[in-house]
Amino acid sequence: MRYRSLTAALVVLVPGLVLGQQVAEAAPSRITATCSPGVPYKLVVSRPDAYVDFRLGRDCPRTVASASWDVTRPDGYSIGFGCGVGQTCRAAIYELPIGRAAKWEPTSGIGWDKNGRKVADLVPATSMVKTGAAIGLTGVRQGTKTTVYARATYYSTKSKAFTRHHGRVLFQKRDIGSNTWTDLGWAYPNTKTGAASYTIITNRSRDYRVYVPSSSTVWYAYSATKRV
């Protein structure tokens, strides 16, 4: 009888010990959410007081009401932006170096709610800053010959205005009713007129546009569509 009683006691105690281990292992750990800035990768400077408006990233908790990031220029000067109630943000990009990556680092590393409590760890982001380009496109069709003209410009931070673009541009065409663009060819602007041109032989109207590729300091751009 004593043997049987001891065995029963052990059977009762062992399950209790195993269950206790399982409960301890299942206890959740506190993990702070992360929050990234929704600042675009492509930042375009096309006026003297260029700003960009955006919102916090989708990973940010809705309770984040205050967060900020900074970028340090090569001269040591820091430029930053803050995001407030509504999770809206604005950055002054005209102060950033052109042709360089802007590495946004969290100011304090913490995203706060409206009561000043930490609700997220801020994470860094990177943007590329270049000036913008613009293209004027015109065209003339005479008989079976169509000629399109493009005048490309880019924003200069020195003159604070758009100036002539001396690089090559790509002419493209599209049949009316189609969604597919076809390359016609590259052309350089005329040194006197500043306009690049392309002529094709066709007996029907088509859509045309012009593409300017990116450079180390200027972002790519497309012209508006012109039907000729």
Side-chain angles (χ1 to χ4, degrees), residues 19-108:
L19 179 60
Q21 293 175 356
Q22 291 177 338
V23 171
E25 291 175 356
S29 59
R30 296 180 61 83
I31 300 176
T32 304
T34 59
C35 179
S36 61
V39 58
Y41 174 78
K42 179 183 177 181
L43 296 180
V44 184
V45 177
S46 56
R47 61 180 187 272
D49 58 345
Y51 286 84
V52 61
D53 294 303
F54 51 95
R55 298 178 63 86
L56 288 176
R58 294 183 179 181
D59 59 326
C60 298
R62 295 183 179 181
T63 52
V64 175
S66 178
S68 61
W69 284 262
D70 298 292
V71 61
T72 302
R73 301 190 313 197
D75 59 5
Y77 184 76
S78 294
I79 301 170
F81 66 83
C83 306
V85 177
Q87 300 193 338
T88 57
C89 321
R90 165 172 279 202
I93 60 176
Y94 67 92
E95 296 181 307
L96 297 173
I98 301 299
R100 298 179 65 97
K103 298 182 179 180
W104 303 101
E105 297 291 343
T107 304
S108 67

Side-chain angles (χ1 to χ4, degrees), residues 1-226:
M1 293 297 292
R2 291 181 180 177
Y3 177 80
R4 292 181 179 177
S5 299
L6 181 59
T7 303
L10 290 174
V11 172
V12 172
L13 290 174
V14 171
L17 292 174
V18 175
L19 179 60
Q21 293 175 356
Q22 291 177 338
V23 171
E25 291 175 356
S29 59
R30 296 180 61 83
I31 300 176
T32 304
T34 59
C35 179
S36 61
V39 58
Y41 174 78
K42 179 183 177 181
L43 296 180
V44 184
V45 177
S46 56
R47 61 180 187 272
D49 58 345
Y51 286 84
V52 61
D53 294 303
F54 51 95
R55 298 178 63 86
L56 288 176
R58 294 183 179 181
D59 59 326
C60 298
R62 295 183 179 181
T63 52
V64 175
S66 178
S68 61
W69 284 262
D70 298 292
V71 61
T72 302
R73 301 190 313 197
D75 59 5
Y77 184 76
S78 294
I79 301 170
F81 66 83
C83 306
V85 177
Q87 300 193 338
T88 57
C89 321
R90 165 172 279 202
I93 60 176
Y94 67 92
E95 296 181 307
L96 297 173
I98 301 299
R100 298 179 65 97
K103 298 182 179 180
W104 303 101
E105 297 291 343
T107 304
S108 67
I110 299 175
W112 311 93
D113 67 8
K114 62 181 181 181
N115 296 315
R117 294 174 299 196
K118 176 182 177 179
V119 291
D121 288 324
L122 306 184
V123 296
T126 301
S127 299
M128 178 57 71
V129 187
K130 297 182 182 183
T131 60
I135 314 161
L137 182 62
T138 59
V140 177
R141 185 158 63 98
Q142 295 180 335
T144 59
K145 186 173 70 173
T146 296
T147 302
V148 283
Y149 303 89
R151 287 179 170 81
T153 58
Y154 71 94
Y155 182 76
S156 169
T157 55
K158 292 183 179 179
S159 64
K160 299 185 184 304
F162 278 85
T163 187
R164 182 187 296 183
H165 177 72
H166 297 281
R168 64 176 187 168
V169 299
L170 176 65
F171 287 85
Q172 297 179 321
K173 68 177 179 68
R174 181 182 66 182
D175 292 333
I176 296 176
S178 172
N179 294 321
T180 303
W181 287 95
T182 303
D183 294 346
L184 290 172
W186 295 88
Y188 283 91
N190 184 286
T191 56
K192 294 182 179 180
T193 65
S197 63
Y198 199 93
T199 301
I200 65 171
I201 303 301
T202 179
N203 57 2
R204 55 179 171 170
S205 179
R206 285 188 173 90
D207 290 333
Y208 297 91
R209 72 177 183 183
V210 173
Y211 165 77
V212 175
S214 291
S215 70
S216 60
T217 57
V218 182
W219 281 113
Y220 68 88
Y222 286 93
S223 71
T225 300
K226 177 70 174 179

